[in-house]
Amino acid sequence: MADEALFQFLHHEVIQYVNAAENGETENGRCITKLESMGFRVGQGLIERFTKDTPRFKDELDVMKFICKDFWTSVFKKQIDNLRTNHQGIYVLQDNKFRLLTQLSAGKQYLEHAPKYLAFTCGLVRGGLSNLGVKSVVTAEVSAMPACKFQVMIQKM
Amino acid sequence: MADEALFQFLHHEVIQYVNAAENGETENGRCITKLESMGFRVGQGLIERFTKDTPRFKDELDVMKFICKDFWTSVFKKQIDNLRTNHQGIYVLQDNKFRLLTQLSAGKQYLEHAPKYLAFTCGLVRGGLSNLGVKSVVTAEVSAMPACKFQVMIQKM
């Protein structure tokens, strides 16, 4: 509980700060990029810790399952609720109650702020996958808070 | 373990980012101030969670003991090793193995970077105390990493 609050509060502060620091130049885009790249590096670090004693993954799907279960549970205290794939390199991870959105009002009022609250996590997933040898592009979308979907597009090398 | 790593990695990223964002204007001072004020707001939030079911504190010393034990353990997974006071509003909290410094080399090489790694925590303590009705100024000093001392000067109102 305590740790979770610490992460949530710090995450919130980071968003506020990055938003203020990047303002003036261009608007949202730069802020999102910065948050995403912070997430990327944190994801890289975390996945190394988490997989230290894990056996080698069988394939890409096995890696994705690890992200949805172990990785997500460690960071957000719950699993991804639904994982779907087209078996051609696109995965959709759905979280029906995403932790970093639960602090925001569930109405449509703050929907425009949602991308800022998802950027770090997109980076987190991309960084984690990257250090498992899976290059990807990760985007997020919200239709009704606090549910959201992360789309992972694997980049074939 | 996982949470702790998450916080440590994010904390590290924040320092890097704030440092880069504030550079050019003035150097270290502004960076430290920003980190401290982020810590302040996080500390305010955390202490409200942590003291939700705690009985009212007897006095100032009682508050400081809570910070050294419960608060420190929640955030840094260990207690403060030594608490000293002159009974006139100055408290010195010594941590012999401060978590946010353990990632840095223990030599003197990176001693100059230590203040950046302590500023957030100074704010954390100040914010926590503030929401318990104790106004203070908190500074930190390191002589031999990873040990450090936080000095809390209570501001009588």
Side-chain angles (χ1 to χ4, degrees), chain A residues 1-11 13-14 17-18 21-22 34 37-38 41-42 45-46 49-50 74-75 77 103 120 124, chain B residues 1-11 13-14 17-18 21-22 34 37-38 41-42 45-46 49-50 74-75 77 103 120 124:
Chain A
M1 270 299 282
D3 288 302
E4 212 189 325
L6 179 63
F7 169 61
Q8 283 185 6
F9 286 131
L10 180 54
H11 179 261
E13 284 303 317
V14 172
Y17 178 78
V18 173
E22 300 299 338
K34 288 288 177 184
S37 63
M38 288 168 100
R41 285 183 300 270
V42 173
L46 285 181
R49 297 270 178 112
F50 294 171
S74 300
V75 178
K77 311 294 163 235
Q103 305 298 312
F120 179 83
L124 208 61
Chain B
M1 272 299 283
D3 287 302
E4 211 189 324
L6 180 62
F7 168 61
Q8 283 185 4
F9 286 131
L10 181 53
H11 178 262
E13 284 303 316
V14 172
Y17 178 77
V18 173
E22 301 298 337
K34 289 287 177 183
S37 63
M38 288 168 98
R41 287 184 298 271
V42 172
L46 285 181
R49 296 271 178 108
F50 294 170
S74 300
V75 178
K77 311 295 165 240
Q103 303 299 311
F120 179 84
L124 208 63

Short mmCIF file of all heavy atoms in Angstrom, two decimals, chain A residues 1-11 13-14 17-18 21-22 34 37-38 41-42 45-46 49-50 74-75 77 103 120 124, chain B residues 1-11 13-14 17-18 21-22 34 37-38 41-42 45-46 49-50 74-75 77 103 120 124:
data_model
loop_
_atom_site.label_atom_id
_atom_site.label_comp_id
_atom_site.label_asym_id
_atom_site.label_seq_id
_atom_site.Cartn_x
_atom_site.Cartn_y
_atom_site.Cartn_z
N MET A 1 0.83 -1.22 0.00
CA MET A 1 0.00 0.00 0.00
C MET A 1 0.86 1.26 0.00
O MET A 1 0.66 2.19 -0.77
CB MET A 1 -0.91 0.02 1.26
CG MET A 1 -2.25 -0.63 1.06
SD MET A 1 -3.25 0.17 -0.21
CE MET A 1 -3.84 1.62 0.70
N ALA A 2 1.84 1.26 0.91
CA ALA A 2 2.68 2.45 1.07
C ALA A 2 3.50 2.69 -0.19
O ALA A 2 3.57 3.81 -0.69
CB ALA A 2 3.60 2.27 2.26
N ASP A 3 4.11 1.63 -0.69
CA ASP A 3 4.94 1.74 -1.87
C ASP A 3 4.15 2.23 -3.05
O ASP A 3 4.60 3.03 -3.84
CB ASP A 3 5.47 0.36 -2.26
CG ASP A 3 6.52 -0.08 -1.29
OD1 ASP A 3 7.50 0.62 -1.15
OD2 ASP A 3 6.32 -1.14 -0.69
N GLU A 4 2.97 1.68 -3.13
CA GLU A 4 2.12 2.03 -4.24
C GLU A 4 1.80 3.52 -4.21
O GLU A 4 1.87 4.20 -5.22
CB GLU A 4 0.83 1.23 -4.09
CG GLU A 4 0.21 0.86 -5.37
CD GLU A 4 -1.16 0.28 -5.10
OE1 GLU A 4 -1.32 -0.41 -4.06
OE2 GLU A 4 -2.05 0.53 -5.89
N ALA A 5 1.48 4.01 -3.03
CA ALA A 5 1.18 5.44 -2.87
C ALA A 5 2.40 6.26 -3.24
O ALA A 5 2.30 7.26 -3.94
CB ALA A 5 0.74 5.71 -1.44
N LEU A 6 3.55 5.82 -2.80
CA LEU A 6 4.80 6.53 -3.10
C LEU A 6 4.99 6.66 -4.61
O LEU A 6 5.25 7.75 -5.13
CB LEU A 6 5.97 5.77 -2.47
CG LEU A 6 7.38 6.32 -2.67
CD1 LEU A 6 7.53 7.68 -2.03
CD2 LEU A 6 8.41 5.35 -2.11
N PHE A 7 4.83 5.55 -5.30
CA PHE A 7 4.98 5.56 -6.76
C PHE A 7 3.92 6.46 -7.41
O PHE A 7 4.23 7.27 -8.28
CB PHE A 7 4.90 4.14 -7.32
CG PHE A 7 4.77 4.06 -8.82
CD1 PHE A 7 5.76 4.58 -9.64
CD2 PHE A 7 3.65 3.50 -9.40
CE1 PHE A 7 5.64 4.53 -11.02
CE2 PHE A 7 3.52 3.44 -10.79
CZ PHE A 7 4.52 3.96 -11.60
N GLN A 8 2.68 6.32 -6.97
CA GLN A 8 1.61 7.11 -7.56
C GLN A 8 1.82 8.61 -7.36
O GLN A 8 1.65 9.40 -8.27
CB GLN A 8 0.26 6.70 -6.98
CG GLN A 8 -0.26 5.41 -7.57
CD GLN A 8 -1.67 5.07 -7.08
OE1 GLN A 8 -2.31 5.86 -6.38
NE2 GLN A 8 -2.15 3.91 -7.45
N PHE A 9 2.20 9.00 -6.15
CA PHE A 9 2.42 10.41 -5.87
C PHE A 9 3.59 10.96 -6.68
O PHE A 9 3.54 12.05 -7.23
CB PHE A 9 2.66 10.65 -4.37
CG PHE A 9 1.41 10.54 -3.53
CD1 PHE A 9 1.39 9.77 -2.38
CD2 PHE A 9 0.25 11.23 -3.86
CE1 PHE A 9 0.25 9.66 -1.59
CE2 PHE A 9 -0.89 11.14 -3.09
CZ PHE A 9 -0.89 10.36 -1.94
N LEU A 10 4.66 10.17 -6.70
CA LEU A 10 5.84 10.62 -7.44
C LEU A 10 5.53 10.71 -8.93
O LEU A 10 5.90 11.69 -9.59
CB LEU A 10 7.03 9.68 -7.17
CG LEU A 10 8.35 10.04 -7.87
CD1 LEU A 10 8.78 11.47 -7.59
CD2 LEU A 10 9.47 9.08 -7.46
N HIS A 11 4.84 9.72 -9.43
CA HIS A 11 4.44 9.71 -10.84
C HIS A 11 3.63 10.97 -11.17
O HIS A 11 3.84 11.62 -12.19
CB HIS A 11 3.62 8.44 -11.13
CG HIS A 11 3.12 8.32 -12.54
ND1 HIS A 11 1.83 8.65 -12.89
CD2 HIS A 11 3.73 7.93 -13.68
CE1 HIS A 11 1.68 8.45 -14.20
NE2 HIS A 11 2.81 8.01 -14.70
N GLU A 13 3.70 13.85 -9.57
CA GLU A 13 4.59 15.02 -9.51
C GLU A 13 5.43 15.14 -10.78
O GLU A 13 5.67 16.23 -11.27
CB GLU A 13 5.53 14.92 -8.30
CG GLU A 13 4.88 15.24 -6.98
CD GLU A 13 4.26 16.62 -6.95
OE1 GLU A 13 4.88 17.56 -7.44
OE2 GLU A 13 3.13 16.74 -6.46
N VAL A 14 5.89 13.99 -11.26
CA VAL A 14 6.72 13.99 -12.46
C VAL A 14 5.92 14.55 -13.63
O VAL A 14 6.41 15.38 -14.40
CB VAL A 14 7.23 12.56 -12.79
CG1 VAL A 14 7.92 12.52 -14.13
CG2 VAL A 14 8.16 12.08 -11.70
N TYR A 17 5.59 18.27 -13.27
CA TYR A 17 6.85 18.96 -13.50
C TYR A 17 7.22 18.95 -14.98
O TYR A 17 7.58 19.99 -15.54
CB TYR A 17 7.98 18.33 -12.67
CG TYR A 17 9.30 18.99 -12.94
CD1 TYR A 17 9.60 20.22 -12.36
CD2 TYR A 17 10.21 18.43 -13.81
CE1 TYR A 17 10.78 20.86 -12.64
CE2 TYR A 17 11.40 19.07 -14.09
CZ TYR A 17 11.69 20.28 -13.51
OH TYR A 17 12.86 20.91 -13.80
N VAL A 18 7.14 17.78 -15.60
CA VAL A 18 7.51 17.67 -17.01
C VAL A 18 6.60 18.56 -17.85
O VAL A 18 7.04 19.25 -18.76
CB VAL A 18 7.44 16.21 -17.50
CG1 VAL A 18 7.67 16.12 -18.99
CG2 VAL A 18 8.47 15.35 -16.77
N ALA A 21 7.77 22.07 -17.39
CA ALA A 21 9.10 22.30 -17.96
C ALA A 21 9.08 22.32 -19.48
O ALA A 21 9.84 23.05 -20.11
CB ALA A 21 10.08 21.23 -17.46
N GLU A 22 8.21 21.52 -20.07
CA GLU A 22 8.19 21.43 -21.54
C GLU A 22 7.26 22.44 -22.16
O GLU A 22 7.23 22.61 -23.37
CB GLU A 22 7.80 20.02 -21.99
CG GLU A 22 8.70 18.91 -21.51
CD GLU A 22 10.14 19.05 -22.01
OE1 GLU A 22 10.34 19.73 -23.03
OE2 GLU A 22 11.05 18.52 -21.36
N LYS A 34 8.90 12.86 -23.36
CA LYS A 34 9.81 12.82 -22.21
C LYS A 34 9.36 11.76 -21.21
O LYS A 34 10.16 10.98 -20.70
CB LYS A 34 9.84 14.19 -21.51
CG LYS A 34 10.57 15.25 -22.28
CD LYS A 34 12.07 15.00 -22.27
CE LYS A 34 12.79 16.05 -23.12
NZ LYS A 34 14.23 15.80 -23.20
N SER A 37 10.07 8.32 -22.47
CA SER A 37 11.47 7.88 -22.43
C SER A 37 11.94 7.63 -20.99
O SER A 37 12.79 6.78 -20.76
CB SER A 37 12.39 8.84 -23.18
OG SER A 37 12.37 10.09 -22.57
N MET A 38 11.36 8.35 -20.02
CA MET A 38 11.66 8.01 -18.63
C MET A 38 11.14 6.61 -18.32
O MET A 38 11.84 5.79 -17.71
CB MET A 38 11.00 9.01 -17.67
CG MET A 38 11.66 10.37 -17.66
SD MET A 38 10.64 11.60 -16.81
CE MET A 38 11.45 11.63 -15.24
N ARG A 41 13.42 3.79 -19.74
CA ARG A 41 14.62 3.44 -18.97
C ARG A 41 14.27 2.73 -17.66
O ARG A 41 14.98 1.82 -17.23
CB ARG A 41 15.47 4.69 -18.72
CG ARG A 41 16.23 5.12 -19.98
CD ARG A 41 17.11 6.31 -19.71
NE ARG A 41 16.36 7.46 -19.27
CZ ARG A 41 15.85 8.39 -20.07
NH1 ARG A 41 16.00 8.28 -21.37
NH2 ARG A 41 15.19 9.41 -19.58
N VAL A 42 13.17 3.15 -17.03
CA VAL A 42 12.74 2.45 -15.81
C VAL A 42 12.34 1.01 -16.15
O VAL A 42 12.70 0.07 -15.43
CB VAL A 42 11.58 3.21 -15.13
CG1 VAL A 42 11.02 2.39 -13.97
CG2 VAL A 42 12.05 4.57 -14.63
N GLY A 45 15.35 -1.18 -16.56
CA GLY A 45 15.92 -1.56 -15.27
C GLY A 45 15.10 -2.61 -14.55
O GLY A 45 15.63 -3.60 -14.04
N LEU A 46 13.79 -2.39 -14.54
CA LEU A 46 12.91 -3.30 -13.80
C LEU A 46 12.94 -4.71 -14.35
O LEU A 46 13.02 -5.68 -13.61
CB LEU A 46 11.47 -2.78 -13.83
CG LEU A 46 11.13 -1.60 -12.94
CD1 LEU A 46 9.65 -1.25 -13.09
CD2 LEU A 46 11.44 -1.90 -11.48
N ARG A 49 15.70 -6.86 -13.16
CA ARG A 49 15.50 -7.38 -11.80
C ARG A 49 14.50 -8.54 -11.81
O ARG A 49 14.72 -9.58 -11.20
CB ARG A 49 14.91 -6.30 -10.89
CG ARG A 49 15.78 -5.11 -10.68
CD ARG A 49 16.67 -5.31 -9.46
NE ARG A 49 17.53 -4.15 -9.31
CZ ARG A 49 17.43 -3.28 -8.31
NH1 ARG A 49 16.56 -3.47 -7.35
NH2 ARG A 49 18.22 -2.24 -8.25
N PHE A 50 13.39 -8.30 -12.51
CA PHE A 50 12.28 -9.25 -12.44
C PHE A 50 12.60 -10.59 -13.08
O PHE A 50 12.07 -11.63 -12.69
CB PHE A 50 11.02 -8.70 -13.12
CG PHE A 50 10.43 -7.50 -12.43
CD1 PHE A 50 9.41 -6.77 -13.03
CD2 PHE A 50 10.86 -7.09 -11.18
CE1 PHE A 50 8.86 -5.66 -12.41
CE2 PHE A 50 10.31 -5.99 -10.54
CZ PHE A 50 9.32 -5.27 -11.16
N SER A 74 3.74 -6.75 -10.41
CA SER A 74 4.78 -6.10 -9.61
C SER A 74 4.61 -4.58 -9.59
O SER A 74 4.79 -3.95 -8.56
CB SER A 74 6.17 -6.41 -10.17
OG SER A 74 6.40 -7.78 -10.16
N VAL A 75 4.27 -4.04 -10.71
CA VAL A 75 4.20 -2.58 -10.81
C VAL A 75 2.83 -2.05 -10.40
O VAL A 75 2.73 -1.06 -9.67
CB VAL A 75 4.55 -2.11 -12.24
CG1 VAL A 75 4.44 -0.60 -12.36
CG2 VAL A 75 5.94 -2.56 -12.63
N LYS A 77 0.07 -4.01 -9.13
CA LYS A 77 -0.67 -4.79 -8.13
C LYS A 77 -1.87 -5.54 -8.69
O LYS A 77 -2.78 -5.91 -7.96
CB LYS A 77 -1.15 -3.93 -6.95
CG LYS A 77 -0.12 -3.04 -6.34
CD LYS A 77 0.98 -3.83 -5.68
CE LYS A 77 2.19 -2.94 -5.46
NZ LYS A 77 3.40 -3.50 -6.05
N GLN A 103 -6.98 7.73 -9.86
CA GLN A 103 -7.01 8.99 -9.10
C GLN A 103 -7.78 10.08 -9.85
O GLN A 103 -8.18 11.07 -9.26
CB GLN A 103 -5.60 9.50 -8.81
CG GLN A 103 -4.70 8.51 -8.11
CD GLN A 103 -5.23 8.13 -6.73
OE1 GLN A 103 -5.60 8.98 -5.95
NE2 GLN A 103 -5.31 6.83 -6.47
N PHE A 120 4.15 7.31 -19.44
CA PHE A 120 5.21 6.64 -18.68
C PHE A 120 5.06 5.12 -18.80
O PHE A 120 6.05 4.41 -19.01
CB PHE A 120 5.15 7.08 -17.22
CG PHE A 120 6.18 6.43 -16.34
CD1 PHE A 120 7.48 6.94 -16.27
CD2 PHE A 120 5.87 5.32 -15.58
CE1 PHE A 120 8.43 6.34 -15.46
CE2 PHE A 120 6.82 4.72 -14.77
CZ PHE A 120 8.10 5.23 -14.71
N LEU A 124 7.37 2.15 -20.14
CA LEU A 124 7.70 1.05 -19.23
C LEU A 124 7.61 -0.30 -19.97
O LEU A 124 8.50 -1.14 -19.88
CB LEU A 124 6.72 1.07 -18.07
CG LEU A 124 7.11 0.54 -16.71
CD1 LEU A 124 8.28 1.31 -16.14
CD2 LEU A 124 5.93 0.62 -15.76
N MET B 1 10.43 -5.66 -2.82
CA MET B 1 11.59 -5.58 -3.71
C MET B 1 11.27 -4.88 -5.03
O MET B 1 11.97 -3.98 -5.47
CB MET B 1 12.09 -7.00 -4.03
CG MET B 1 13.08 -7.54 -3.05
SD MET B 1 14.59 -6.54 -2.98
CE MET B 1 15.42 -7.10 -4.48
N ALA B 2 10.19 -5.28 -5.62
CA ALA B 2 9.83 -4.73 -6.93
C ALA B 2 9.48 -3.25 -6.80
O ALA B 2 9.94 -2.42 -7.59
CB ALA B 2 8.65 -5.50 -7.50
N ASP B 3 8.68 -2.94 -5.80
CA ASP B 3 8.25 -1.57 -5.59
C ASP B 3 9.42 -0.67 -5.33
O ASP B 3 9.48 0.46 -5.79
CB ASP B 3 7.35 -1.49 -4.36
CG ASP B 3 6.02 -2.09 -4.65
OD1 ASP B 3 5.37 -1.62 -5.57
OD2 ASP B 3 5.65 -3.04 -3.96
N GLU B 4 10.30 -1.21 -4.53
CA GLU B 4 11.46 -0.43 -4.15
C GLU B 4 12.27 -0.09 -5.38
O GLU B 4 12.69 1.05 -5.56
CB GLU B 4 12.28 -1.30 -3.22
CG GLU B 4 13.03 -0.54 -2.20
CD GLU B 4 13.97 -1.47 -1.49
OE1 GLU B 4 13.59 -2.65 -1.28
OE2 GLU B 4 15.08 -1.04 -1.19
N ALA B 5 12.47 -1.08 -6.24
CA ALA B 5 13.22 -0.85 -7.47
C ALA B 5 12.50 0.18 -8.32
O ALA B 5 13.11 1.09 -8.87
CB ALA B 5 13.37 -2.16 -8.23
N LEU B 6 11.20 0.07 -8.41
CA LEU B 6 10.40 1.01 -9.20
C LEU B 6 10.63 2.43 -8.71
O LEU B 6 10.90 3.34 -9.50
CB LEU B 6 8.92 0.63 -9.07
CG LEU B 6 7.91 1.49 -9.81
CD1 LEU B 6 8.14 1.44 -11.31
CD2 LEU B 6 6.48 1.04 -9.49
N PHE B 7 10.55 2.62 -7.41
CA PHE B 7 10.76 3.95 -6.84
C PHE B 7 12.18 4.44 -7.08
O PHE B 7 12.39 5.58 -7.50
CB PHE B 7 10.43 3.93 -5.33
CG PHE B 7 10.88 5.17 -4.60
CD1 PHE B 7 10.36 6.42 -4.94
CD2 PHE B 7 11.81 5.09 -3.58
CE1 PHE B 7 10.77 7.57 -4.27
CE2 PHE B 7 12.22 6.24 -2.90
CZ PHE B 7 11.71 7.47 -3.25
N GLN B 8 13.15 3.56 -6.86
CA GLN B 8 14.53 3.97 -7.04
C GLN B 8 14.84 4.36 -8.49
O GLN B 8 15.49 5.36 -8.75
CB GLN B 8 15.49 2.84 -6.61
CG GLN B 8 15.61 2.74 -5.10
CD GLN B 8 16.65 1.70 -4.69
OE1 GLN B 8 17.33 1.12 -5.52
NE2 GLN B 8 16.76 1.48 -3.39
N PHE B 9 14.36 3.55 -9.41
CA PHE B 9 14.61 3.85 -10.82
C PHE B 9 13.92 5.16 -11.23
O PHE B 9 14.50 5.99 -11.93
CB PHE B 9 14.13 2.71 -11.73
CG PHE B 9 15.01 1.49 -11.70
CD1 PHE B 9 14.47 0.23 -11.52
CD2 PHE B 9 16.38 1.60 -11.88
CE1 PHE B 9 15.28 -0.91 -11.50
CE2 PHE B 9 17.20 0.47 -11.86
CZ PHE B 9 16.64 -0.78 -11.67
N LEU B 10 12.68 5.32 -10.79
CA LEU B 10 11.95 6.53 -11.15
C LEU B 10 12.62 7.75 -10.52
O LEU B 10 12.80 8.78 -11.17
CB LEU B 10 10.48 6.42 -10.72
CG LEU B 10 9.59 7.62 -11.05
CD1 LEU B 10 9.66 8.00 -12.53
CD2 LEU B 10 8.13 7.34 -10.68
N HIS B 11 13.01 7.61 -9.27
CA HIS B 11 13.70 8.70 -8.57
C HIS B 11 14.96 9.10 -9.33
O HIS B 11 15.25 10.29 -9.51
CB HIS B 11 14.04 8.23 -7.14
CG HIS B 11 14.79 9.24 -6.32
ND1 HIS B 11 16.16 9.21 -6.17
CD2 HIS B 11 14.36 10.33 -5.63
CE1 HIS B 11 16.55 10.22 -5.40
NE2 HIS B 11 15.48 10.92 -5.05
N GLU B 13 15.55 8.68 -12.55
CA GLU B 13 15.15 9.34 -13.80
C GLU B 13 14.74 10.79 -13.57
O GLU B 13 15.03 11.67 -14.36
CB GLU B 13 13.98 8.59 -14.46
CG GLU B 13 14.37 7.31 -15.15
CD GLU B 13 15.43 7.52 -16.21
OE1 GLU B 13 15.31 8.49 -16.99
OE2 GLU B 13 16.38 6.74 -16.26
N VAL B 14 14.03 11.00 -12.46
CA VAL B 14 13.56 12.35 -12.14
C VAL B 14 14.75 13.27 -11.95
O VAL B 14 14.79 14.38 -12.48
CB VAL B 14 12.67 12.33 -10.87
CG1 VAL B 14 12.36 13.74 -10.42
CG2 VAL B 14 11.39 11.56 -11.13
N TYR B 17 16.30 14.06 -15.26
CA TYR B 17 15.46 14.94 -16.06
C TYR B 17 15.47 16.37 -15.52
O TYR B 17 15.66 17.32 -16.26
CB TYR B 17 14.02 14.42 -16.12
CG TYR B 17 13.14 15.34 -16.90
CD1 TYR B 17 13.20 15.34 -18.29
CD2 TYR B 17 12.31 16.23 -16.26
CE1 TYR B 17 12.44 16.22 -19.02
CE2 TYR B 17 11.54 17.12 -16.99
CZ TYR B 17 11.60 17.10 -18.36
OH TYR B 17 10.85 17.99 -19.09
N VAL B 18 15.27 16.49 -14.20
CA VAL B 18 15.23 17.82 -13.59
C VAL B 18 16.57 18.51 -13.80
O VAL B 18 16.64 19.69 -14.13
CB VAL B 18 14.89 17.73 -12.08
CG1 VAL B 18 15.02 19.08 -11.42
CG2 VAL B 18 13.48 17.19 -11.90
N ALA B 21 16.67 19.70 -17.32
CA ALA B 21 15.68 20.75 -17.60
C ALA B 21 16.06 22.07 -16.97
O ALA B 21 15.78 23.14 -17.52
CB ALA B 21 14.30 20.30 -17.12
N GLU B 22 16.70 22.04 -15.81
CA GLU B 22 17.03 23.27 -15.11
C GLU B 22 18.39 23.82 -15.51
O GLU B 22 18.75 24.93 -15.15
CB GLU B 22 17.00 23.07 -13.59
CG GLU B 22 15.67 22.60 -13.03
CD GLU B 22 14.54 23.58 -13.29
OE1 GLU B 22 14.82 24.78 -13.48
OE2 GLU B 22 13.38 23.16 -13.31
N LYS B 34 13.73 22.27 -7.01
CA LYS B 34 12.63 21.58 -7.67
C LYS B 34 12.42 20.18 -7.09
O LYS B 34 11.29 19.76 -6.82
CB LYS B 34 12.92 21.44 -9.18
CG LYS B 34 12.84 22.73 -9.94
CD LYS B 34 11.39 23.16 -10.10
CE LYS B 34 11.32 24.52 -10.82
NZ LYS B 34 9.95 25.00 -10.93
N SER B 37 10.84 20.40 -3.71
CA SER B 37 9.40 20.72 -3.66
C SER B 37 8.55 19.56 -4.18
O SER B 37 7.42 19.36 -3.75
CB SER B 37 9.10 22.02 -4.40
OG SER B 37 9.42 21.90 -5.74
N MET B 38 9.11 18.75 -5.08
CA MET B 38 8.40 17.52 -5.46
C MET B 38 8.28 16.60 -4.25
O MET B 38 7.23 16.02 -3.98
CB MET B 38 9.13 16.79 -6.59
CG MET B 38 9.04 17.49 -7.92
SD MET B 38 10.20 16.78 -9.12
CE MET B 38 9.11 15.69 -10.00
N ARG B 41 5.53 17.73 -1.70
CA ARG B 41 4.14 17.37 -2.02
C ARG B 41 3.90 15.86 -1.88
O ARG B 41 2.83 15.43 -1.44
CB ARG B 41 3.77 17.88 -3.41
CG ARG B 41 3.58 19.40 -3.44
CD ARG B 41 3.12 19.87 -4.81
NE ARG B 41 4.11 19.59 -5.84
CZ ARG B 41 5.09 20.42 -6.17
NH1 ARG B 41 5.25 21.55 -5.55
NH2 ARG B 41 5.94 20.09 -7.12
N VAL B 42 4.90 15.07 -2.25
CA VAL B 42 4.76 13.62 -2.07
C VAL B 42 4.68 13.28 -0.58
O VAL B 42 3.85 12.47 -0.15
CB VAL B 42 5.92 12.85 -2.74
CG1 VAL B 42 5.87 11.37 -2.40
CG2 VAL B 42 5.89 13.04 -4.26
N GLY B 45 1.27 14.01 0.80
CA GLY B 45 0.31 12.97 0.44
C GLY B 45 0.50 11.69 1.25
O GLY B 45 -0.45 11.11 1.76
N LEU B 46 1.77 11.28 1.35
CA LEU B 46 2.06 10.01 2.04
C LEU B 46 1.65 10.04 3.50
O LEU B 46 1.06 9.09 4.00
CB LEU B 46 3.55 9.69 1.94
CG LEU B 46 4.08 9.19 0.61
CD1 LEU B 46 5.57 8.91 0.73
CD2 LEU B 46 3.34 7.94 0.16
N ARG B 49 -1.90 9.29 4.20
CA ARG B 49 -2.21 7.86 4.12
C ARG B 49 -1.73 7.12 5.36
O ARG B 49 -2.43 6.32 5.94
CB ARG B 49 -1.50 7.21 2.92
CG ARG B 49 -1.92 7.72 1.58
CD ARG B 49 -3.09 6.94 1.04
NE ARG B 49 -3.50 7.49 -0.23
CZ ARG B 49 -3.30 6.90 -1.40
NH1 ARG B 49 -2.75 5.71 -1.46
NH2 ARG B 49 -3.69 7.47 -2.51
N PHE B 50 -0.48 7.41 5.74
CA PHE B 50 0.17 6.63 6.80
C PHE B 50 -0.46 6.87 8.17
O PHE B 50 -0.43 5.99 9.02
CB PHE B 50 1.66 6.97 6.90
CG PHE B 50 2.46 6.55 5.69
CD1 PHE B 50 3.78 6.96 5.54
CD2 PHE B 50 1.92 5.73 4.71
CE1 PHE B 50 4.53 6.58 4.44
CE2 PHE B 50 2.67 5.36 3.60
CZ PHE B 50 3.97 5.79 3.47
N SER B 74 8.30 2.62 5.77
CA SER B 74 7.40 2.52 4.62
C SER B 74 8.09 2.94 3.33
O SER B 74 7.92 2.33 2.29
CB SER B 74 6.17 3.41 4.81
OG SER B 74 5.47 3.02 5.95
N VAL B 75 8.88 3.98 3.41
CA VAL B 75 9.48 4.52 2.20
C VAL B 75 10.81 3.83 1.87
O VAL B 75 11.07 3.49 0.72
CB VAL B 75 9.68 6.06 2.31
CG1 VAL B 75 10.36 6.60 1.07
CG2 VAL B 75 8.35 6.75 2.54
N LYS B 77 12.28 1.09 3.69
CA LYS B 77 12.43 -0.31 4.12
C LYS B 77 13.39 -0.50 5.30
O LYS B 77 13.89 -1.60 5.51
CB LYS B 77 12.92 -1.21 2.96
CG LYS B 77 12.15 -1.06 1.68
CD LYS B 77 10.73 -1.51 1.84
CE LYS B 77 9.88 -1.01 0.68
NZ LYS B 77 8.79 -0.16 1.10
N GLN B 103 23.06 3.08 -4.60
CA GLN B 103 23.35 2.83 -6.01
C GLN B 103 24.60 3.56 -6.47
O GLN B 103 25.17 3.25 -7.50
CB GLN B 103 22.17 3.26 -6.90
CG GLN B 103 20.85 2.60 -6.55
CD GLN B 103 20.90 1.10 -6.69
OE1 GLN B 103 21.35 0.60 -7.70
NE2 GLN B 103 20.47 0.38 -5.67
N PHE B 120 15.12 15.31 -2.73
CA PHE B 120 13.75 14.81 -2.72
C PHE B 120 13.36 14.35 -1.32
O PHE B 120 12.27 14.65 -0.83
CB PHE B 120 13.62 13.65 -3.72
CG PHE B 120 12.25 13.04 -3.78
CD1 PHE B 120 11.26 13.61 -4.57
CD2 PHE B 120 11.95 11.90 -3.05
CE1 PHE B 120 9.99 13.05 -4.61
CE2 PHE B 120 10.69 11.34 -3.09
CZ PHE B 120 9.71 11.91 -3.87
N LEU B 124 10.53 15.37 1.31
CA LEU B 124 9.62 14.33 1.80
C LEU B 124 9.38 14.49 3.30
O LEU B 124 8.24 14.45 3.79
CB LEU B 124 10.25 12.97 1.51
CG LEU B 124 9.37 11.75 1.30
CD1 LEU B 124 8.49 11.92 0.08
CD2 LEU B 124 10.25 10.51 1.11
#
